[in-house]
Amino acid sequence: MLGSLIPRGTRNRLLPLERVEREMEAIVERLFNGEESWLTPATEFLPRANVAETEAAYEVTLDVPGMTAKDISVEVRDGSLWISGEKSEEKEEKGKWFHRVERQHGAFRRTFPLELPVDRDKVEATYMGGVLIVRVPKVSAPPSKKIEVKG
């Protein structure tokens, strides 16, 4: 977007501006459009995710250590992938005083929009070693069909 307005000789010097522009757009998007915005209190449990796409599928990888497969729900609805669950709070033990508590717990929900039609019946979710991997296959678009114009 910005690159088309920059003269060829100065283009490489302004690449950091392009990065800043992308980062600012991402911040505004999270602030105003995401349910998991950066205004979410730090005490709320919100697992981190990676989202990747191949020609055949979307793949979402979520870090959810300390949970079991039964604690996690995965759904495809309303054109999005919904991942939710609850991480239980560890109970205090008698005779133990905590000086610092940083480990998060509680319910969470992450939603990821799916831009193309997907095959709901072939979605796979695997949980192992604290990592959830959800693979959402895309539906292959039928080949285009030429329509004869009658006249």
Side-chain angles (χ1 to χ4, degrees):
M1 176 163 113
L2 188 61
S4 62
L5 300 176
I6 301 170
R8 284 208 182 278
T10 60
R11 189 173 182 141
N12 288 338
R13 286 182 274 170
L14 295 178
L15 286 178
L17 284 179
E18 291 175 351
R19 190 181 79 217
V20 169
E21 180 183 15
R22 283 193 307 269
E23 290 175 4
M24 291 300 294
E25 287 174 359
I27 289 170
V28 170
E29 175 72 22
R30 284 180 25 218
L31 177 62
F32 294 110
N33 298 327
E35 62 186 54
E36 59 252 3
S37 74
W38 62 280
L39 295 176
T40 302
T43 57
E44 188 173 315
F45 176 55
L46 189 66
R48 299 290 182 199
N50 288 349
V51 180
E53 179 179 3
T54 66
E55 289 184 25
Y58 295 102
E59 187 173 282
V60 177
T61 306
L62 208 69
D63 288 336
V64 283
M67 298 180 73
T68 67
K70 293 178 184 178
D71 298 329
I72 303 165
S73 171
V74 178
E75 299 177 68
V76 176
R77 63 174 167 164
D78 302 329
S80 296
L81 175 66
W82 294 47
I83 302 175
S84 57
E86 187 164 358
K87 185 175 179 181
S88 302
E89 178 181 12
E90 294 180 7
K91 302 294 179 198
E92 285 190 40
E93 299 174 26
K94 264 191 166 182
K96 189 185 276 187
W97 296 270
F98 288 90
H99 297 278
R100 182 180 298 236
V101 177
E102 295 181 354
R103 298 176 71 198
Q104 297 177 327
H105 63 275
F108 72 90
R109 182 180 71 209
R110 299 288 311 259
T111 57
F112 304 94
L114 303 170
E115 296 180 15
L116 297 173
V118 296
D119 190 345
R120 294 173 174 231
D121 297 329
K122 294 185 180 174
V123 174
E124 298 174 352
T126 307
Y127 179 78
M128 186 182 305
V131 177
L132 174 70
I133 300 173
V134 181
R135 188 173 183 282
V136 184
K138 297 176 185 176
V139 173
S140 58
S144 61
K145 178 182 175 186
K146 185 167 176 117
I147 309 298
E148 180 183 338
V149 179
K150 297 177 184 177

